[in-house]
């Protein structure tokens, strides 16, 4: 069986086991969710009426006291304002009114006053016809009547209008949250099982197969590292003990032969046998055998997924969280102060990007990841506890610095361990982990913020970062330093400056990478939450809608990676992605309902998946001369740093456009700009034509 076929079958088995386990888990959760939803629905309506009756009793108490003091109920001048205040904060209430015993409306809240005069007559008729006294249905409302008494006689009646659709809306939101939770559960389960199957089953078995193949070839110089102790790794450890035993016996035989040779007692046949043994087999040092390690692009997927999951929890409500701390009267406008932390985030990431490469070269990927995760987790925890914008800015910078180190170190690890013919697929592992985490984080973060508040949500995010550190220690391979620069290679700073002097590299990055980041940070992460909040969407609803962007990228990324590698469609996909992103932004500017808004977000997500996935894989063949002269790591580092400039400028540009021309025009500018830059990229690729990437051969 060919290695390609073996790898394909391994992936197929992993998918089957993961999907089967996921279906069992999700089926169990569906049954539990249906039962919980049924119980909630049965108790929600009675609880809602009980709440309305409690509020009616509280409001009636004030009229009761006024009557006890001898004040006629028809001469309470501030009663209308009192009813307005009583209705505030209760989403299920449409109105509150106070009527005399003969049915004449004396006082009413603002919403009831806006209705026609005949409306209250219909309310009284509905109560007369209703069999169950105290609650009547009328025009989509439920009218609850509560008598007000004083000194043993009825002095009036309170009418509370309950929105009949409120129950259905809340139940629909609960059902939607349940579905989202089930989807996120399935996604997390697949991610975890795929990673664990690869690390704990497929990888040890492949190493065992490789060890046996080396033994058949007579090579006993290598020893596989055993990190965990399960069935597969125990088999690998047993083979390793056999190899070490052979090396010890060979070392003992060599020592005896050397002593015999010194004593002059080594016969000619024995000498020939030892020489033949040395020609047929190769043995290693039994105390320090050469490591047998096959680093893959999926080594860091699970720790990276959990880390990004925690980091993305605040994505859907971040601008709203910053607005909560903004103090009116500041020297800077609110739109600028809301966008500033996002730009500071990007700045800190850019500054810390070179540190990741140095740590990777000096200490290895495991140390580099842990060094970045410590400040990231601490910053998330303290961000939630911030009481001022100054504190928030400080801890946001700390979090971003750690985030930049982690993501850059992971990206470089993937770039070094992926094969040249599967460049886009290798980068798809990184993009897939980040987008899957974004789906989970954006959706669950909005729900958590709506249920437990901002501070507790940041606490959950910090806990997830802590869990990712544990996973790095348990699962990530300790490959050690990746080595210093190759002999004759330029130093990092000199390499960066040399790359920046290459105008064609800089122009490509400005046309291909920066526009996507402008759309992502300026439109999706900044303008979209603010716009949806202004339209009345809650944090959970904003998270649900923004989740559509990441869902598209999750499903589109592996397909785009496969097609780009197999057919060499890298450049065409980048151009198509830029065009779709621009059209999606323009559609969002004119959309008003939930479904058009969702369609626009999905279109932007598809465009970003098409543009981003083959982008990094296109760099080595497009700029082979620069890779040879400065190194791939330096080229990727410069690429990421300049790309982050787009992320830095995006929120500030969107804030300036929003303050100057409003949401619709600012969104139009971003959409048209994206289309124009994509046209520029097409012209660049046409003028700087290169041979297309060689399609990867399909395994037989």
């Amino acid at each position: 069986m060919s290695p390609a076929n073996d790898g394909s079958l391994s992936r197929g088995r992993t998918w089957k086991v993961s999907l089967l386990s996921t279906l069992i888990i999700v089926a169990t959760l569906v049954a539990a969710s249906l039962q919980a939803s049924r119980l909630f629905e049965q108790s929600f309506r009675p609880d809602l009426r009980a709440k309305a009756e409690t509020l009616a009793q509280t409001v009636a108490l004030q009229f009761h006291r006024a009557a006890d003091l001898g004040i006629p109920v028809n001469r309470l001048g501030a009663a209308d304002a009192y009813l307005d205040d009583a209705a505030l904060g209760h989403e299920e209430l449409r109105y509150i009114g106070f009527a005399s015993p003969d049915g004449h409306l004396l006082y009413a809240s603002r919403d009831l006053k806006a209705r026609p005069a005949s409306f209250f007559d219909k309310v009284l008729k509905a109560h007369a016809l209703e069999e169950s006294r105290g609650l009547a249905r009328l025009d989509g409302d439920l009218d609850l009547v509560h008598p007000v008494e004083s000194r043993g006689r009825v002095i009036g009646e309170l009418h509370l209008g309950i929105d009949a659709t409120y129950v259905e809306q809340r139940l629909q939101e609960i059902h939607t949250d349940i579905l989202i939770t089930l989807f996120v559960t399935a996604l997390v389960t697949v991610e975890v099982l795929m990673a664990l199957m690869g690390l704990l089953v497929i990888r040890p078995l492949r190493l065992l197969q490789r060890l046996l193949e080396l033994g058949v070839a007579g090579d006993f110089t290598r020893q596989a590292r055993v990190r965990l102790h399960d069935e597969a790794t125990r088999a690998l450890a047993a083979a390793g003990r056999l190899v070490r035993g052979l090396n010890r016996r060979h070392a003992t035989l060599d020592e005896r032969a050397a002593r015999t040779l010194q004593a002059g007692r080594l016969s000619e046949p024995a000498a020939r046998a030892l020489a033949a043994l040395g020609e047929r087999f190769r043995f290693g040092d039994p105390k320090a055998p050469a490591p047998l390690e096959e680093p893959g692009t999926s080594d860091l997927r699970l720790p990276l997924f959990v880390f990004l999951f925690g980091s993305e929890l605040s994505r859907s409500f971040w601008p709203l969280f910053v607005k909560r701390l903004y103090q009116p009267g500041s020297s800077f406008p609110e739109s600028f102060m809301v966008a500033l932390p996002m730009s500071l985030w990007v700045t800190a990431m850019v500054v810390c990007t070179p540190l990741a490469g140095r740590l990777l070269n000096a200490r290895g990927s495991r140390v580099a990841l842990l060094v970045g995760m410590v400040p990231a987790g601490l910053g998330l925890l303290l961000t939630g506890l911030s009481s001022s914008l100054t504190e928030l800015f400080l801890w946001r910078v700390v979090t971003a610095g750690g985030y930049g180190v982690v993501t850059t170190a992971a990206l470089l690890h993937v770039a070094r361990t992926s094969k040249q013919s599967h460049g886009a697929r290798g980068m798809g592992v990184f993009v897939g982990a980040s987008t899957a985490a974004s789906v989970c984080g954006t959706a669950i973060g909005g729900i958590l913020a709506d249920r437990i508040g901002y501070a507790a949500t940041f606490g959950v995010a910090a806990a997830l970062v802590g869990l990712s550190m544990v996973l790095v220690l348990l699962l990530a391979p300790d490959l050690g330093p990746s080595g210093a620069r190759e002999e004759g290679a330029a130093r990092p700073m000199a390499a960066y400056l040399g790359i920046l002097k290459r105008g064609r590299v800089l122009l490509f990055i400005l046309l291909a990478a920066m526009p996507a980041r402008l759309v992502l940070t300026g439109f999706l992460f900044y303008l979209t939450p603010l716009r949806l909040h202004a339209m009345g969407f809650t944090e959970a609803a904003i998270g649900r809608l923004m989740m559509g962007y990441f869902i598209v990228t999750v499903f589109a990324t592996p397909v785009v990676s496969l097609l780009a590698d197999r057919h060499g469609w890298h450049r065409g996909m980048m151009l198509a992605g830029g065009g779709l992103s621009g059209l999606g932004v323009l559609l969002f500017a004119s959309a008003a309902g939930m479904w058009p808004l969702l369609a626009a977000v999905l279109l932007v997500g598809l465009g970003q998946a098409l543009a981003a996935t083959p982008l990094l894989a296109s760099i080595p063949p497009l700029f082979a001369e620069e890779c040879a002269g400065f190194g791939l790591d330096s080229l990727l580092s410069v690429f990421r740093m300049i790309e982050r400039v787009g992320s830095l400028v995006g929120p500030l540009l969107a804030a300036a456009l929003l303050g100057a021309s409003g949401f619709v025009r600012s969104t139009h500018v971003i959409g048209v700009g994206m289309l124009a830059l994509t046209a520029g990229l097409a012209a660049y690729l046409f003028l700087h034509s290169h041979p297309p990437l060689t399609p990867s051969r399909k395994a037989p």
Side-chain angles (χ1 to χ4, degrees), residues 150 527 551 573 689 693:
S150 176
L527 287 177
I551 289 178
M573 286 185 171
S689 178
L693 295 176

Side-chain angles (χ1 to χ4, degrees), residues 18-33:
S18 301
L19 290 178
L20 179 61
S21 303
T22 301
L23 289 176
I24 294 174
I25 294 173
V26 171
T28 305
L29 291 176
V30 167
S33 300

Side-chain angles (χ1 to χ4, degrees), residues 312-531:
E312 295 289 335
L313 282 180
S314 62
R315 180 68 67 195
S316 62
F317 63 82
W318 175 256
L320 309 179
F321 176 68
V322 181
K323 285 184 65 175
R324 186 177 63 89
L325 297 177
Y326 178 77
Q327 297 293 333
S330 174
S331 303
F332 299 95
E334 182 184 61
S335 59
F336 174 79
M337 297 301 287
V338 172
L340 184 59
M342 302 175 69
S343 297
L344 290 176
W345 170 279
V346 179
T347 303
M349 286 185 60
V350 171
V351 171
C352 294
T353 293
L355 177 61
R358 295 177 184 176
L359 286 171
L360 203 67
N361 290 330
R363 297 297 183 89
S365 56
R366 177 186 289 184
V367 173
L369 290 170
L370 292 175
V371 168
M373 288 178 176
V374 171
L378 180 64
L380 284 171
L381 178 63
L382 295 177
T383 297
L385 301 177
S386 299
S387 58
S388 66
L389 285 178
T390 302
E391 294 180 17
L392 184 142
F393 292 166
L394 172 63
W395 298 122
R396 196 62 173 168
V397 168
V398 172
T399 306
Y403 184 93
V405 171
V406 171
T407 53
T408 305
L411 178 64
L412 292 177
H413 175 87
V414 170
R416 292 174 179 178
T417 55
S418 61
K419 297 179 181 179
Q420 180 67 24
S421 61
H422 299 291
R425 199 176 305 172
M427 292 303 171
V429 172
F430 177 85
V431 176
S434 61
T435 50
S438 298
V439 171
C440 301
T442 303
I444 298 300
I447 294 173
L448 290 177
D450 208 24
R451 300 290 189 269
I452 64 177
Y454 296 138
T457 303
F458 279 105
V460 174
L464 287 174
V465 173
L467 176 60
S468 68
M469 296 176 65
V470 176
L471 293 174
V472 167
L473 292 172
L474 291 177
L475 302 179
D478 187 11
L479 302 181
S482 59
R485 305 178 312 275
E486 296 181 0
E487 186 176 354
R491 293 182 177 275
M493 188 54 65
Y496 297 158
L497 294 176
I499 294 172
L500 289 174
K501 292 179 182 178
R502 300 293 180 102
R504 70 191 195 101
V505 178
L506 185 60
L507 182 59
F508 175 79
I509 298 174
L510 293 177
L511 291 174
M514 283 190 64
R517 306 307 297 186
L518 286 170
V519 170
L520 189 64
T521 60
F523 166 72
L524 186 69
F525 295 160
Y526 177 75
L527 287 177
T528 299
L530 293 177
R531 174 64 172 175

